[in-house]
């Protein structure tokens, strides 16, 4: 069955407009168990991690684009990277991001951005994520897929067809995408009715289905998703919509609808595609709980960004390489947010732990550690 067929897109639309009882992970769940242990695995199965996503997962690809400037990509300038790397790497944080820790727990090296010059060992995987990426035509999903096809060809040339197939089959494809698509929609239609929101979600989910089918056809079998976070609570979105007293509810509504549909779609994929396994990390409620109860997680400030200017210090972190004024907090460890849209390294660590080995009420039906342990014949 071709999951990207018209009939499947119709199925997605039907499921959204006729809600059924979806399996959803618990609200405000908090996983506290030890979760950073790495896995033991049979050496005949080479582990690899391929990362697809937007700025939350980007390791620096956009910094290698032609004619890039700090105005277009703030993360290539100071103070991004200040905590761990001590220089900007193109990651939108003060230090490491979630995929860096997932690679560490899997006993893999820190994955370089695909566009970084020089030799790559794609048997470990690669990071294709790019700031601004999404699943709609406007957010250019074909770029990452094109990179993945090139990696597949490279693996076939290096290892031969059979071993390359095994690497791709046993790899985990970590995906965090969709936010930029909803930001665009909400910018155009901030007063959209629920019916229009559902249509927008159906289009995003339909395009995501096509992308998943293509990755599956190229050999991917294990898919780990970070669902959409509370998009309307991001400080930068609150700033641009002047939402001083609370979150932008229209954006949160889109994220919630997306997450409900994502569960349905992945269940359907699992039932139809041989060997398809998946994980969903409930990023929405995990982040929401930190926003509501920052002290519970060791933060003194979950409202403002550490770096930036304006309402919630949510814009212009780095001041376009120092050409514009901006403020920087005294201790980044006190903050949930580094800039107006991205969390601090100290916030990323427990999120990565939850993705890696969180319990089923937070990350399921498998966590990523369990996905790696699944040996597909």
């Amino acid at each position: 069955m071709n999951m990207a067929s018209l009939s499947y897109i119709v199925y997605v639309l039907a499921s959204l407009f006729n809600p059924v009882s979806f399996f959803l992970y618990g609200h405000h769940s908090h996983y506290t168990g030890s979760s950073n242990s790495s896995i033991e695995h049979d050496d005949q199965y080479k582990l690899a991690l391929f990362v697809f996503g937007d700025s939350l997962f980007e390791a620096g690809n956009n910094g290698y684009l032609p004619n890039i400037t700090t105005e277009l990509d703030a993360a290539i300038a100071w103070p991004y990277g200040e905590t761990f790397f001590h220089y900007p790497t193109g990651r939108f944080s003060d230090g490491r991001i979630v995929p860096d820790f997932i690679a560490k727990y899997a006993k893999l090296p820190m994955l370089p951005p695909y566009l970084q010059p020089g030799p790559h060992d794609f048997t470990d995987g690669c990071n294709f994520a790019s700031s601004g990426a999404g699943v709609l035509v406007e957010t250019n999903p074909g770029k990452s897929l094109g990179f993945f096809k090139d990696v597949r060809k490279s693996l076939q040339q290096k290892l031969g067809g059979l071993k390359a197939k095994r690497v791709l089959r046993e790899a985990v494809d970590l995906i965090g995408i969709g936010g930029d698509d909803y930001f665009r929609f909400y910018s155009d239609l901030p007063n959209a009715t629920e019916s229009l929101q559902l249509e927008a979600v159906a289009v995003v989910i339909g395009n995501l289905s096509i992308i998943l089918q293509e990755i599956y056809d190229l050999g991917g079998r294990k898919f780990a998703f970070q669902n959409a976070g509370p998009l309307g609570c991001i400080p930068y979105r609150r700033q641009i919509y002047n939402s001083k007293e609370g979150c932008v509810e229209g954006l949160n509504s889109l994220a919630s609808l997306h997450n409900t549909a994502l569960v349905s779609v992945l269940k359907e994929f699992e039932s139809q595609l041989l060997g398809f396994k998946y994980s969903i990390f409930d990023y929405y409620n995990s982040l929401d709980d930190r926003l509501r109860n920052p002290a519970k997680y060791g933060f003194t400030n979950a409202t403002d960004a550490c770096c930036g200017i304006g309402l919630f210090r949510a814009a212009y972190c780095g001041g376009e390489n120092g050409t514009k004024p901006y403020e920087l907090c005294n201790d980044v460890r006190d903050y949930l947010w580094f800039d107006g849209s991205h969390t601090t390294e100290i916030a990323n660590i427990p999120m990565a732990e939850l993705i890696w080995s969180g319990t089923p009420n937070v990350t399921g039906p498998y966590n990523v550690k369990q996905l790696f342990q699944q040996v597909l014949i």
Side-chain angles (χ1 to χ4, degrees):
M1 173 183 177
N2 184 348
M3 298 293 290
S5 65
L6 177 61
S7 62
Y8 184 66
I9 306 303
V10 171
Y11 161 80
V12 174
L13 284 162
S15 69
L16 286 169
F17 282 101
N18 297 281
V20 297
S21 179
F22 295 111
F23 170 72
L24 293 175
Y25 303 118
H27 187 63
H28 299 322
S29 300
H30 176 47
Y31 179 73
T32 58
S34 176
S35 57
N36 62 354
S37 59
S38 57
I39 66 172
E40 298 298 327
H41 60 91
D42 188 332
D43 286 340
Q44 68 174 312
Y45 295 107
K46 175 67 175 176
L47 296 185
L49 177 68
F50 295 102
V51 181
F52 300 83
D54 51 31
S55 59
L56 297 182
F57 284 179
E58 185 185 352
N61 276 308
N62 282 12
Y64 297 104
L65 296 174
N67 303 316
I68 196 68
T69 66
T70 54
E71 184 177 1
L72 298 172
D73 184 6
I76 62 174
W78 186 263
Y80 288 95
E82 63 166 4
T83 299
F84 181 79
F85 302 99
H86 308 299
Y87 62 90
T89 65
R91 290 168 172 81
F92 284 85
S93 185
D94 61 295
R96 289 164 291 183
I97 54 175
V98 164
D100 296 329
F101 293 104
I102 300 300
K104 177 182 177 182
Y105 303 153
K107 296 183 178 179
L108 292 167
M110 190 176 292
L111 299 176
Y114 174 78
L115 292 178
Q116 178 176 298
H120 289 261
D121 184 2
F122 293 129
T123 60
D124 292 325
C126 198
N127 190 321
F128 306 113
S130 172
S131 174
V135 300
L136 301 180
V137 173
E138 298 86 349
T139 48
N140 201 7
K143 184 185 295 183
S144 291
L145 278 175
F147 295 159
F148 187 58
K149 290 175 183 177
D150 291 340
V151 166
R152 179 174 179 261
K153 184 182 296 184
S154 176
L155 287 170
Q156 289 171 335
Q157 292 170 347
K158 179 178 180 178
L159 305 175
L162 188 60
K163 288 185 178 179
K165 182 178 180 180
R166 178 175 290 174
V167 168
L168 295 172
R169 183 183 62 202
E170 300 301 333
V172 168
D173 299 308
L174 178 64
I175 302 171
I177 205 160
D180 285 294
D181 296 311
Y182 294 120
F183 294 146
R184 284 174 176 266
F185 172 81
Y186 191 81
S187 176
D188 291 338
L189 294 170
N191 298 312
T193 62
E194 184 178 11
S195 176
L196 286 174
Q197 287 186 343
L198 285 167
E199 288 183 22
V201 170
V203 172
V204 169
I205 291 293
N207 281 29
L208 178 60
S209 300
I210 294 170
I211 292 167
L212 290 182
Q213 177 70 53
E214 187 155 3
I215 295 173
Y216 179 90
D217 291 342
L218 292 168
R221 293 295 181 271
K222 303 175 184 179
F223 297 83
F225 281 85
Q226 174 172 288
N227 72 11
L231 302 176
C233 300
I234 294 171
Y236 179 66
R237 300 297 152 181
R238 293 182 64 191
Q239 184 192 89
I240 62 175
Y241 293 109
N242 199 32
S243 186
K244 296 179 180 178
E245 303 303 322
C247 300
V248 183
E249 290 307 319
L251 283 170
N252 280 358
S253 175
L254 286 164
S256 295
L257 291 170
H258 172 90
N259 293 342
T260 300
L262 180 64
V263 173
S264 177
V265 163
L266 294 180
K267 280 187 175 183
E268 184 70 11
F269 266 73
E270 185 179 45
S271 72
Q272 297 291 336
L273 296 178
L274 182 65
F276 184 96
K277 305 288 183 184
Y278 72 93
S279 166
I280 305 178
F281 166 51
D282 188 6
Y283 183 52
Y284 189 104
N285 285 310
S286 296
L287 184 57
D288 185 59
D289 198 31
R290 285 159 173 79
L291 290 165
R292 294 173 185 270
N293 305 291
K296 177 180 174 182
Y297 299 95
F299 300 111
T300 60
N301 192 325
T303 303
D304 305 305
C306 169
C307 177
I309 200 168
L311 183 64
F312 309 122
R313 207 187 281 148
Y316 295 112
C317 176
E320 295 183 8
N321 205 22
T323 62
K324 293 183 178 180
Y326 71 97
E327 301 168 2
L328 188 63
C329 66
N330 291 326
D331 192 344
V332 69
R333 294 171 297 180
D334 292 335
Y335 285 76
L336 175 65
W337 301 99
F338 181 64
D339 69 9
S341 300
H342 307 94
T343 45
T344 55
E345 177 182 279
I346 202 168
N348 291 335
I349 294 171
M351 295 294 189
E353 291 175 350
L354 290 170
I355 293 173
W356 178 252
S357 57
T359 51
N361 63 319
V362 180
T363 306
Y366 298 96
N367 56 44
V368 169
K369 181 179 179 180
Q370 292 167 336
L371 276 184
F372 271 120
Q373 291 171 331
Q374 296 289 311
V375 178
L376 304 179
I377 305 301

